[in-house]
Amino acid sequence: MREFFEGVLAALQVIGGIGAVVGLVTFFFREKIKHSLLESMQMRLEGEKAQLARDHARYSAQLSKDAENHRVSLIAESERLKADQQIKTSLSLRLAERRFESICAVHTSIAGLPPAARSYAVTIFSGARAEFDKRHTAVNQMIEDASDALKMNRAFISPDLFKAGLDVTSAVVVVLGLRLHFDDSPLNENAPEVRALVTTYRRFESSLSSSLEPYDPSAWRN
C-alpha cells in the first residue's frame, strides 16, 4: 500500500506538480479523519448499547425481584386473612354451640317444673305425710335447679327467654307458698295461681321457639 501511494505521488509530481500532491494528501487526510471518527463513533455506540443492555438487565432483575417480593407479600397477607377468618368462624361456631347448650340447659331445668308444681298443689295426700314431704322437697329442689340454670346461662340466652324462665319459677313459688305444710288444703285446679303455671309456661315455650329458630336447618338455606 505504501509503495502504491508513493508511486501515485511520483506520478502526480511528474504530471501535475506540487499542487496535485497537496490535493491528494489533503484528500487522504480527510478520509483518514473520517474513518477515525466513524470508528470512534462506532465504538462509542457499541459501548452505549452495552451499557443500555446492562441497565436493562439490572432493571429487569430489580423488577422481577420486586414482583416476587410483592407476590410473596400477597400470599402472606392472603394466608393471614384466611387464618383470621378461620379463627372468627371457629369462635362463631363455638359461641353458637355454647348458646345452644345454654338454651337446652334452661329448657331442661324448667320443662318439668310446672306439671310437678301443679300435681303437688292439687293432690290430696290423705294422711301420707311422707309423700307430701317428698313432693315438697322435690319441687323446692327443681325451683333451685331452675334458678341456678337461669343465672349460669344468662349471658348466652336472650333477655326474653331469661324473663320467661323467671316468670315460670315465680309462678311455681307462688303455688308452693300456698301449700307449705301438710295440713294446708290442696288448691283447686282452676285457681288463678294454678292456671298461671300453664300461661307462664306457654310464654316460655314461645320464647324458647324463637331462640331455637337460628338452629333450624331450614333457615340455613336462606
Side-chain angles (χ1 to χ4, degrees):
M1 183 68 180
R2 183 175 179 183
E3 289 83 359
F4 172 76
F5 181 67
E6 290 175 350
V8 172
L9 285 178
L12 288 175
Q13 286 177 348
V14 172
I15 298 171
I18 193 63
V21 174
V22 171
L24 182 62
V25 171
T26 301
F27 170 75
F28 277 106
F29 184 72
R30 283 201 305 268
E31 289 298 316
K32 182 175 180 60
I33 292 176
K34 185 168 72 172
H35 181 71
S36 298
L37 288 174
L38 287 174
E39 285 186 347
S40 177
M41 291 177 64
Q42 184 67 26
M43 291 177 62
R44 182 175 179 181
L45 181 61
E46 292 296 328
E48 290 179 350
K49 287 172 63 178
Q51 184 61 44
L52 285 174
R54 288 192 296 271
D55 292 343
H56 180 268
R58 184 170 61 252
Y59 182 66
S60 297
Q62 185 62 43
L63 282 179
S64 298
K65 182 179 179 181
D66 292 344
E68 179 63 18
N69 290 338
H70 184 60
R71 187 183 70 85
V72 171
S73 66
L74 287 178
I75 293 175
E77 180 65 14
S78 176
E79 291 298 322
R80 185 188 68 79
L81 292 175
K82 182 179 178 181
D84 288 346
Q85 187 59 43
Q86 289 176 341
I87 292 173
K88 291 178 181 178
T89 300
S90 177
L91 290 175
S92 297
L93 289 174
R94 184 66 189 96
L95 181 58
E97 290 175 359
R98 183 64 180 86
R99 286 174 176 167
F100 183 76
E101 292 169 358
S102 294
I103 293 171
C104 292
V106 169
H107 173 256
T108 300
S109 67
I110 291 179
L113 192 51
R118 181 182 179 280
S119 175
Y120 164 79
V122 302
T123 297
I124 300 174
F125 291 98
S126 301
R129 179 181 292 273
E131 181 63 21
F132 173 86
D133 292 341
K134 179 181 177 181
R135 295 276 195 94
H136 185 270
T137 300
V139 173
N140 271 300
Q141 184 62 50
M142 292 176 72
I143 293 173
E144 184 177 341
D145 293 343
S147 298
D148 289 343
L150 287 169
K151 292 176 183 177
M152 291 172 58
N153 296 283
R154 184 174 186 176
F156 299 100
I157 62 176
S158 68
D160 186 63
L161 183 61
F162 178 77
K163 183 179 182 305
L166 282 182
D167 290 343
V168 172
T169 57
S170 297
V172 172
V173 169
V174 170
V175 169
L176 196 64
L178 296 176
R179 198 178 188 188
L180 292 175
H181 308 290
F182 177 73
D183 295 332
D184 292 336
S185 299
L187 302 182
N188 188 286
E189 291 186 358
N190 293 320
E193 296 82 5
V194 176
R195 291 202 305 269
L197 295 174
V198 177
T199 57
T200 56
Y201 188 73
R202 284 177 179 171
R203 287 197 295 270
F204 173 78
E205 284 186 323
S206 177
S207 180
L208 180 68
S209 296
S210 298
S211 297
L212 290 174
E213 283 180 359
Y215 301 95
D216 184 357
S218 64
W220 302 344
R221 295 190 293 268
N222 297 332

